[in-house]
Amino acid sequence: MTWDKLEKTCQTCRKCSLSDSRNNTVFGIGNRTAEILFIGEAPGEQEDLRGEPFVGRAGKLLDNMLSVIDLNRSNIYISNIIKCRPPSNRDPLHVEQDACIAYLYEQIALLQPKIIVCLGRIAAQKIIDKNFKISKEHGHWYECFDVPTMALYHPAALLRDPRRKPDTFLDLKELQRKIQEICERTYL
Ligand code: URA
């Protein structure tokens, strides 16, 4: 498999009914040789219109969160659990996640990240543990695909409840510590 082949296959995917209502698939963005992979939930309205992950308000906050620890869209890769927008931004159904997750697994196989960061409960429950409790287990390290993996609060959750921002700042600093410990590149 190659990145280009995978992206083309994903763009014309009809594996679930979200393909009927999408404007664009949202494959992923960033550096295809990155050491750090961020995984969100699903595209929202803006993402569906642009074909790019995290371009709405939550995306702006994500960019700010990344900049706290000297990351940006050119030194990480960003993808989602599912690649098409669920109607009215509802949670993706299990059947939709199961239909789509193979694309993310292929992305992980191509990227071979050294660190994975799940954004929010839906991504953490699919990648880390189906019973993952985001309020208790954010910022902790787990091993997924043989790679250290942690979850942060989803930026949309931080917009809804800014009282969670101090915890997220500490989680970002812990992520930065891990990056300095195991990544080969320098992020300054
Ligand atoms: N929320 C997500 O989880 N992913 C996006 O791409 C946009 C918003």
Side-chain angles (χ1 to χ4, degrees), residues 126-144:
K126 193 68 185 170
I127 299 296
I128 301 174
D129 186 295
K130 69 179 183 354
N131 297 314
F132 194 88
K133 296 269 182 296
I134 190 79
S135 56
K136 287 211 180 94
E137 294 167 310
H138 66 84
H140 295 202
W141 288 107
Y142 300 86
E143 196 83 0
C144 304

Side-chain angles (χ1 to χ4, degrees), residues 26 39-48 52-59 62 73 78-82 89 119-120 122-123 154-156:
V26 178
I39 304 172
E41 177 181 324
E45 184 181 19
Q46 296 303 313
E47 290 77 19
D48 171 65
E52 214 180 280
F54 287 100
V55 291
R57 272 182 79 217
L62 176 61
R73 289 177 193 233
I78 306 175
S79 192
N80 281 308
I81 297 289
I82 67 166
N89 297 344
L119 294 167
I122 299 279
H154 194 289

Side-chain angles (χ1 to χ4, degrees), residues 59-152:
K60 290 218 169 60
L61 179 55
L62 176 61
D63 286 334
N64 291 340
M65 289 161 63
L66 296 172
S67 72
V68 168
I69 54 169
D70 301 308
L71 299 180
N72 57 62
R73 289 177 193 233
S74 63
N75 60 19
I76 63 169
Y77 194 80
I78 306 175
S79 192
N80 281 308
I81 297 289
I82 67 166
K83 311 303 197 224
C84 295
R85 182 192 180 205
S88 323
N89 297 344
R90 63 156 168 73
D91 286 354
L93 304 176
H94 287 296
V95 288
E96 293 160 354
Q97 295 187 37
D98 291 344
C100 202
I101 196 71
Y103 294 119
L104 181 65
Y105 292 158
E106 291 279 7
Q107 289 176 313
I108 293 171
L110 285 165
L111 192 64
Q112 298 197 273
K114 294 208 158 60
I115 292 179
I116 296 175
V117 182
C118 297
L119 294 167
R121 171 182 60 89
I122 299 279
Q125 289 184 342
K126 193 68 185 170
I127 299 296
I128 301 174
D129 186 295
K130 69 179 183 354
N131 297 314
F132 194 88
K133 296 269 182 296
I134 190 79
S135 56
K136 287 211 180 94
E137 294 167 310
H138 66 84
H140 295 202
W141 288 107
Y142 300 86
E143 196 83 0
C144 304
F145 311 96
D146 284 330
V147 177
T149 301
M150 77 142 71
L152 299 174

